[in-house]
Every structure is written in structure tokens, then in C-alpha cells.
Amino acid sequence: MNTPEIYYTLGMLGTVAFAVTAVLAVIPKQIDLFGAIVMGIVTAVGGGTIRDMILDAPVFWATDLNYIWVAVVSSIVAFYGNQFMSRKNIYSLMLYLDAVGIAMFVIQGAEKAIALDFAQPVGPVLLGLITAIGGGITRDVLAGNTTLLLKKELYALPLTFGVILYLILIQIFPDQVKLMGTLCATLTFFIRAAAIHWKLHVPNWMLISKRS
């Protein structure tokens, strides 16, 4: 089944956002251009690559190198235009595009796991999350930064909610899989967008308090 054009376009926008935000995150490390490109690519396609390796499936970008080229060009633009890209309004736009990307990719990752009947029902949830945030976690590990999962930022929680809701809804409405996927991705995006806009964090009751 071919990916609908709108999904493909949004996926490419998400790839741009992943690569740009990755480069901007490692610029303070005084990284060189080659390192910036590597970080951009790793972040942009890393999650999907890990997913496909776990599924023992052909790696998605091997049949569509546009993902790699878009990541490379975006990384170069971010590297040389980091002062412009770091402006508050531009960086905020990248965060919202990133939210579009992760909301789509978490559902796409789950769909692929379901299609291959992988470790249901837990497998689709885990692989959806890996698809969405695996690249960002790999980037942070390589850059020596605190990973997304260790921050109070409301990032992984909306994804988890969205993908679990998706798995529930497709059991209730098995003939409306694409519609349910679109609805859950949209809901996930709006939750993440609200977290960006209002700087929302994980509730305190879900955090471990530090010992005095």
C-alpha cells in the first residue's frame, strides 16, 4: 500500500524538523559540519531504522533515499544558519514540525508492527515509540546530553497515550484503521503542541522526588 501523499509530505516535514533540531541541539558542543550531518541523519531516520532492524524488515530509507537527502540538506542549512534557526519564532516552528513528525511516526511504527504481527499488543506500542523518539535518544547519547526520557518535558507521554488509544480504537473500528490512525496522530500532535505552547511538564505525581 502506497503512503498517501499528504502523509509522505508530513513525514518529510518531520524529517526536516528532526534534523534541524538535532543540529541546533549539538551546536553548543562546537561540532563540525560532518558531525552535524551525522547527528541530523541519526535523529531523522534513527528511530525507523531501529524499528526495521527489530522487525527484520527492509530499512525504510533504503528504498527511498529522499529521507537521507532531506536530512543531509536540512542539517547543512541548520549548521550554517544556526543563528537564524535559533531565533525564538523559527525554533518554535521547528518544535511544532517536530511534534507533527513524532505524532505521525508513532502511529506509522505501530502500524508496521501490526502488519507484521509483531509481539502484539505490546510490540506495536514499543515500536511506535521507538520510531518516534529512537533517533532523538540516540542523538542525545552520542552528544552526551540528557535523553528525552530523563527530562520532565511532556514528550513521550502524549506519544504513549496516542499509540495505546490507536490500538484500542482499531479493535473497536477494524474497518476504519486509517481514520483512527489520523485521529490519534492529530490528537497526539495537539497534546504535544499544547505542551510546547504552555510549557507543560510531566505531573509531579509521576516523578520521583529527590532525597534530601
Side-chain angles (χ1 to χ4, degrees), residues 56-76:
D56 196 24
V59 178
F60 73 101
W61 52 261
T63 56
D64 187 354
L65 287 176
N66 287 331
Y67 287 100
I68 299 296
W69 298 129
V70 167
V72 169
V73 172
S74 300
S75 300
I76 294 172

Side-chain angles (χ1 to χ4, degrees), residues 166-182:
Y166 170 69
L167 292 176
I168 293 172
L169 289 178
I170 62 174
Q171 295 301 316
I172 301 173
F173 305 102
D175 297 328
Q176 302 291 333
V177 172
K178 284 298 179 184
L179 176 60
M180 294 304 105
T182 300

Side-chain angles (χ1 to χ4, degrees), residues 23-181:
V23 173
L24 296 182
V26 297
I27 283 291
K29 301 284 186 179
Q30 296 184 329
I31 197 168
D32 61 19
L33 177 60
F34 177 76
I37 292 173
V38 170
M39 287 296 188
I41 293 174
V42 164
T43 306
V45 304
T49 301
I50 296 170
R51 173 205 63 209
D52 290 343
M53 291 175 66
I54 293 173
L55 291 173
D56 196 24
V59 178
F60 73 101
W61 52 261
T63 56
D64 187 354
L65 287 176
N66 287 331
Y67 287 100
I68 299 296
W69 298 129
V70 167
V72 169
V73 172
S74 300
S75 300
I76 294 172
V77 171
F79 181 83
Y80 286 109
N82 70 88
Q83 291 186 340
F84 173 75
M85 292 287 186
S86 297
R87 292 180 181 179
K88 186 176 181 180
N89 57 336
I90 301 299
Y91 188 69
S92 293
L93 174 62
M94 288 299 109
L95 290 180
Y96 285 111
L97 287 179
D98 178 270
V100 171
I102 61 174
M104 279 191 51
F105 295 151
V106 72
I107 301 300
Q108 287 181 350
E111 284 181 341
K112 194 162 189 176
I114 291 170
L116 295 176
D117 195 26
F118 179 82
Q120 297 199 53
V122 177
V125 174
L126 294 179
L127 291 188
L129 291 172
I130 287 172
T131 304
I133 66 176
I137 292 175
T138 304
R139 173 205 64 208
D140 291 335
V141 170
L142 293 175
N145 295 331
T146 303
T147 66
L148 296 169
L149 296 180
L150 298 181
K151 293 180 179 179
K152 293 172 61 178
E153 188 175 356
L154 200 61
Y155 195 88
L157 198 59
L159 296 174
T160 305
F161 170 76
V163 72
I164 290 176
L165 179 62
Y166 170 69
L167 292 176
I168 293 172
L169 289 178
I170 62 174
Q171 295 301 316
I172 301 173
F173 305 102
D175 297 328
Q176 302 291 333
V177 172
K178 284 298 179 184
L179 176 60
M180 294 304 105

